Amino acid sequence: MLNFELNPNIPTGDLEEKWQNHKFASQLVSPNNKRQFEVIVVGTGLAGASAAASLGELGYKVKSFTYNDSARRAHSIAAQGGINASKNYKNDGDSTYRLFYDTIKGGDYRSREANVYRLAEVSTSIIDQCVAQGVPFAREYGGLLDNRSFGGAQVSRTFYARGQTGQQLLLGAYSALMRQVAAKNVELHTRSEMLELVVHDGRAVGVVVRDLLTGQVSSHSAHCVVLATGGYGNVYYLSTNAMMCNASAIWRAHKKGAAFANPCYTQIHPTCIPAGEDFQSKLTLMSESLRNDGRVWVPRDFDEARSPADIPEDERDYYLETKYPAFGNLVPRDVASRNAKTVVDQGRGVGSLKNGVYLDFSDALGRDGEDTIRGKYGNLFDIYQRITGEDPYKHPMRIYPATHYTMGGLWVDYNLMSNLPGLFVVGEANFSDHGANRLGASALMQGLADGYFILPYTLGNYLSNHLGEAKVSDREPAFKQAESKVDSGTKRYLSNMGTKSIDHFHRELGKIVWDYIGMSRNRAGLERALSDIPALAHEFQKDMKILGSADGLNQSLEKAGRVADFFELAQLMAKDALEREESCGGHFREEHQTPEGEALRHDDDFSFASAWEWTGDPKKAKLHKEDLNFEFVTPTQRSYK
């Protein structure tokens, strides 16, 4: 029987002492004994690569899996603006406690205090680690690393490498990973997709993967499994995520007993290039860092036809600066996104489709000069010009919110282990640190904190209880049953003689999810989603068409399994959003807002993390609650005015 008591295992003691006390109290595994343990890490983004590299360096025998052709192709490479850390180089009042406070507040008081403080505490070590790896962070004239501001903070704590921070950090983690591959401590499997988690005697003991080039299905056993497979933003079809990003690894683990937490908490990023046409399959992110120097505005008049240069200042509405004078254009993402939706819905959108707002750099260009702006954001400006054909040095960018990040994910305790023993979950794949809304530049911080500085301690504490135990043989019935399930699913998909592509159904699902579980939700829309999604899923199972075979590269077959999982996940998202009768962070219920239109929480009733148990039907999932207790921060109405 799986454990659904959801014990978060939070250490006792003062906030500042919890992690240090926990590390000392954790059981260790000696160097010689580490060599006896095998660990599987699925995913090679920042969380997965740093975890595999760190565990390999410690002496564990690690198997690393990625569906990409190279570990450095993970989607972490797309993160642009920076990574937070509380080093206070600007001497502007930052501290570990302030980073902790800003993150708790930014998440609308729906995250675990102990986890968030630990994240803030280890943030400074992340920067030191990455500098030692050669990550080329921007520097000031005096030689210190430079910082810039991000949304939800009034200090400058974001370290950056132009607009390529994720790429540079991933190259650092990738180099550490490949060092361990060369040392034969890590065995790297590329173009391999996890399709099943294997559970034996109530604990995770391995995975079943499919080679995406040959179609071969194989089992891999280990003493424990680490999932670092990212979020589920592509359930919306149009998102800033890479096209291959999916939720199948964590969803298959959920169906094997791992609780899925807070699925309704999805983040809509306010700074993306608006969609240009109906059949677009990908949206492009423009970094939040641009809001440091760009001013967001729309025309005051409805259906304005003039070019932005012809609209005088007194006919422009700098709505974020007016409404939130303390933070201005650097309000958190959920606040900026909802306000952009409001002005566009009013009929004041810009561009040929009237589906964007302006992000204008004319003031910054006049103040600092083009060379300075190019030094900060040059590659981002180049990306924008290549996609839109417009020169942002001469004309304002057009931006609009798009699905970007998911704060929900598999439930984990303080040790980053799910309720399923032996299954650890790190980075965006878990729910642990961001509450109802992630602040900008905190995703990279969490991924590297989990992989470099947290998991190596907590995983050892788990394995210390299994000294002398051999890993479960991959010939055990649990592995054969998992392989059989994969094979039967493949045969079912390939035998379908439908008429419509997988992309057709994914696009239709995405429209439903965006319309009813997007930037704002209401009871009628969520109930509609819970009706429309199963109906479309039924049509998907009957009328999808997959060409080719299972004996080689078949991207339609890959997509079929991923989209089938998205259909089930979308229903759980709607159910979770319907259950949570409040507004908080990325979850905005129209029935629950202040007179000023801000999110209205109901702390007495909903100060908990939702953790859902799989029952065989996502609409009949069973809710478990982890109460959130705030000992050090008092939840208040969030205000950025």
Side-chain angles (χ1 to χ4, degrees):
M1 186 72 178
L2 291 176
N3 174 29
F4 272 96
E5 294 180 1
L6 300 181
N7 180 2
N9 289 311
I10 299 172
T12 58
D14 293 338
L15 188 65
E16 296 83 357
E17 299 173 354
K18 287 181 184 293
W19 177 230
Q20 298 304 320
N21 291 342
H22 188 67
K23 286 194 294 184
F24 184 75
S26 296
Q27 298 297 312
L28 300 179
V29 179
S30 69
N32 286 338
N33 285 330
K34 286 187 176 76
R35 301 188 187 101
Q36 300 176 22
F37 288 116
E38 296 190 25
V39 180
I40 286 173
V41 180
V42 184
T44 58
L46 284 180
S50 60
S54 299
L55 295 173
E57 183 74 34
L58 286 170
Y60 295 106
K61 296 166 67 175
V62 180
K63 283 187 178 181
S64 174
F65 294 88
T66 175
Y67 56 53
N68 289 301
D69 56 357
S70 167
R72 66 178 181 273
R73 290 287 297 274
H75 188 59
S76 298
I77 201 171
Q80 298 164 332
I83 176 171
N84 287 332
S86 56
K87 279 185 172 292
N88 195 30
Y89 282 173
K90 294 289 188 180
N91 197 29
D92 57 0
D94 201 11
S95 65
T96 296
Y97 192 87
R98 187 176 293 278
L99 176 52
F100 156 73
Y101 175 82
D102 286 346
T103 306
I104 289 284
K105 176 183 175 183
D108 222 350
Y109 306 96
R110 290 294 176 263
S111 48
R112 210 186 270 151
E113 281 188 330
N115 286 66
V116 176
Y117 190 86
R118 176 177 62 184
L119 177 65
E121 182 181 352
V122 304
S123 66
T124 56
S125 298
I126 297 170
I127 303 304
D128 296 339
Q129 169 90 358
C130 294
V131 169
Q133 290 174 337
V135 173
F137 287 120
R139 292 182 181 269
E140 294 180 325
Y141 177 76
L144 285 177
L145 301 183
D146 198 10
N147 294 122
R148 56 190 178 199
S149 298
F150 255 58
Q154 291 179 300
V155 297
S156 295
R157 64 163 65 102
T158 303
F159 295 78
Y160 65 97
R162 297 186 72 190
Q164 307 169 355
T165 313
Q167 179 186 36
Q168 298 301 327
L169 291 173
L170 184 60
L171 288 174
Y174 169 74
S175 65
L177 172 63
M178 296 311 293
R179 178 176 182 271
Q180 295 306 312
V181 172
K184 301 189 184 307
N185 296 326
V186 175
E187 183 181 296
L188 179 62
H189 297 260
T190 60
R191 301 295 285 162
S192 298
E193 182 172 23
M194 172 188 153
L195 296 182
E196 277 295 327
L197 178 74
V198 180
V199 178
H200 177 75
D201 286 344
R203 48 188 190 99
V205 296
V207 297
V208 174
V209 303
R210 178 176 182 268
D211 186 306
L212 297 182
L213 296 180
T214 67
Q216 181 180 358
V217 173
S218 58
S219 290
H220 300 266
S221 176
H223 291 89
C224 64
V225 176
V226 180
L227 297 186
T229 52
Y232 48 92
N234 272 352
V235 68
Y236 289 86
Y237 186 70
L238 276 179
S239 84
T240 67
N241 290 188
M243 295 289 288
M244 285 182 68
C245 292
N246 64 84
S248 287
I250 58 173
W251 190 252
R252 307 286 170 89
H254 171 56
K255 294 173 77 169
K256 286 296 183 71
F260 204 111
N262 298 338
C264 77
Y265 289 161
T266 59
Q267 181 168 84
I268 313 298
H269 196 296
T271 317
C272 303
I273 299 177
E277 49 97 25
D278 289 340
F279 289 95
Q280 192 166 326
S281 58
K282 173 79 174 66
L283 294 175
T284 302
L285 174 68
M286 289 287 99
S287 169
E288 181 173 313
S289 62
L290 294 170
R291 290 198 277 145
N292 273 283
D293 288 298
R295 300 180 69 192
V296 178
W297 64 276
V298 292
R300 292 191 181 278
D301 292 338
F302 297 91
D303 298 318
E304 176 64 70
R306 289 176 291 179
S307 69
D310 295 331
I311 302 174
E313 280 290 315
D314 61 356
E315 296 181 34
R316 300 180 178 189
D317 181 6
Y318 295 93
Y319 56 91
L320 292 178
E321 297 175 26
T322 301
K323 192 172 181 181
Y324 307 99
F327 283 74
N329 296 300
L330 288 175
V331 292
R333 291 173 175 177
D334 60 319
V335 177
S337 294
R338 283 198 298 275
N339 279 272
K341 180 180 187 297
T342 297
V343 295
V344 169
D345 289 351
Q346 289 171 350
R348 294 193 286 157
V350 302
S352 59
L353 299 180
K354 303 295 183 183
N355 63 343
V357 301
Y358 287 129
L359 183 62
D360 194 337
F361 291 87
S362 56
D363 284 359
L365 287 163
R367 180 184 66 243
D368 299 329
E370 184 174 321
D371 288 345
T372 298
I373 298 302
R374 192 179 295 276
K376 289 182 177 179
Y377 313 114
N379 65 306
L380 299 173
F381 278 44
D382 292 343
I383 291 171
Y384 182 86
Q385 185 167 7
R386 282 198 296 270
I387 290 174
T388 66
E390 302 169 4
D391 184 352
Y393 293 102
K394 298 178 180 178
H395 308 284
M397 288 184 178
R398 291 176 295 106
I399 59 169
Y400 191 67
T403 305
H404 177 59
Y405 190 89
T406 52
M407 287 74 68
L410 293 185
W411 182 91
V412 293
D413 66 6
Y414 190 75
N415 296 308
L416 303 182
M417 189 166 73
S418 74
N419 61 295
L420 187 57
L423 178 65
F424 293 83
V425 192
V426 294
E428 190 180 358
N430 75 32
F431 90 111
S432 64
D433 291 355
H434 306 297
N437 176 61
R438 178 176 68 77
L439 292 182
S442 288
L444 305 184
M445 176 174 61
Q446 185 210 350
L448 292 180
D450 287 356
Y452 281 140
F453 297 107
I454 300 173
L455 186 69
Y457 283 96
T458 61
L459 181 139
N461 184 57
Y462 168 78
L463 291 177
S464 68
N465 295 309
H466 298 277
L467 285 172
E469 295 181 15
K471 67 177 184 178
V472 175
S473 169
D474 59 15
R475 294 188 295 273
E476 282 287 327
F479 283 91
K480 298 308 175 186
Q481 290 166 7
E483 287 184 21
S484 177
K485 185 176 181 181
V486 170
D487 289 338
S488 62
T490 299
K491 291 175 182 176
R492 183 175 71 254
Y493 291 140
L494 290 174
S495 64
N496 223 56
M497 303 303 291
T499 63
K500 296 185 176 69
S501 70
I502 305 300
D503 284 340
H504 164 81
F505 287 105
H506 192 183
R507 184 182 295 111
E508 293 302 309
L509 171 64
K511 290 178 182 177
I512 297 172
V513 179
W514 177 255
D515 288 344
Y516 302 125
I517 327 174
M519 272 191 280
S520 63
R521 300 95 184 259
N522 57 57
R523 173 168 289 277
L526 293 169
E527 290 175 344
R528 174 74 180 270
L530 285 170
S531 172
D532 288 357
I533 294 171
L536 184 63
H538 180 69
E539 183 184 349
F540 166 75
Q541 295 293 343
K542 287 177 53 181
D543 204 23
M544 64 175 167
K545 183 175 184 177
I546 301 175
L547 300 175
S549 71
D551 300 327
L553 181 65
N554 190 334
Q555 292 184 318
S556 292
L557 178 60
E558 296 169 27
K559 291 178 182 178
R562 298 167 187 169
V563 173
D565 293 334
F566 279 145
F567 271 110
E568 293 179 338
L569 172 57
Q571 294 176 66
L572 186 61
M573 291 169 62
K575 184 177 178 65
D576 188 42
L578 189 60
E579 175 75 24
R580 190 168 285 275
E581 287 277 4
E582 66 166 351
S583 291
C584 55
H587 169 63
F588 190 79
R589 282 288 295 270
E590 294 170 3
E591 304 94 329
H592 304 282
Q593 53 184 302
T594 68
E596 294 81 21
E598 305 295 341
L600 181 61
R601 299 190 322 273
H602 300 303
D603 294 333
D604 290 344
D605 298 319
F606 293 97
S607 189
F608 61 80
S610 303
W612 295 92
E613 177 184 354
W614 175 256
T615 64
D617 180 347
K619 290 203 298 183
K620 297 179 180 178
K622 183 177 179 182
L623 175 62
H624 301 265
K625 301 177 182 179
E626 180 201 334
D627 291 331
L628 299 172
N629 301 308
F630 294 93
E631 300 178 61
F632 305 96
V633 175
T634 301
T636 58
Q637 176 63 39
R638 204 167 42 135
S639 174
Y640 294 94
K641 295 182 178 182

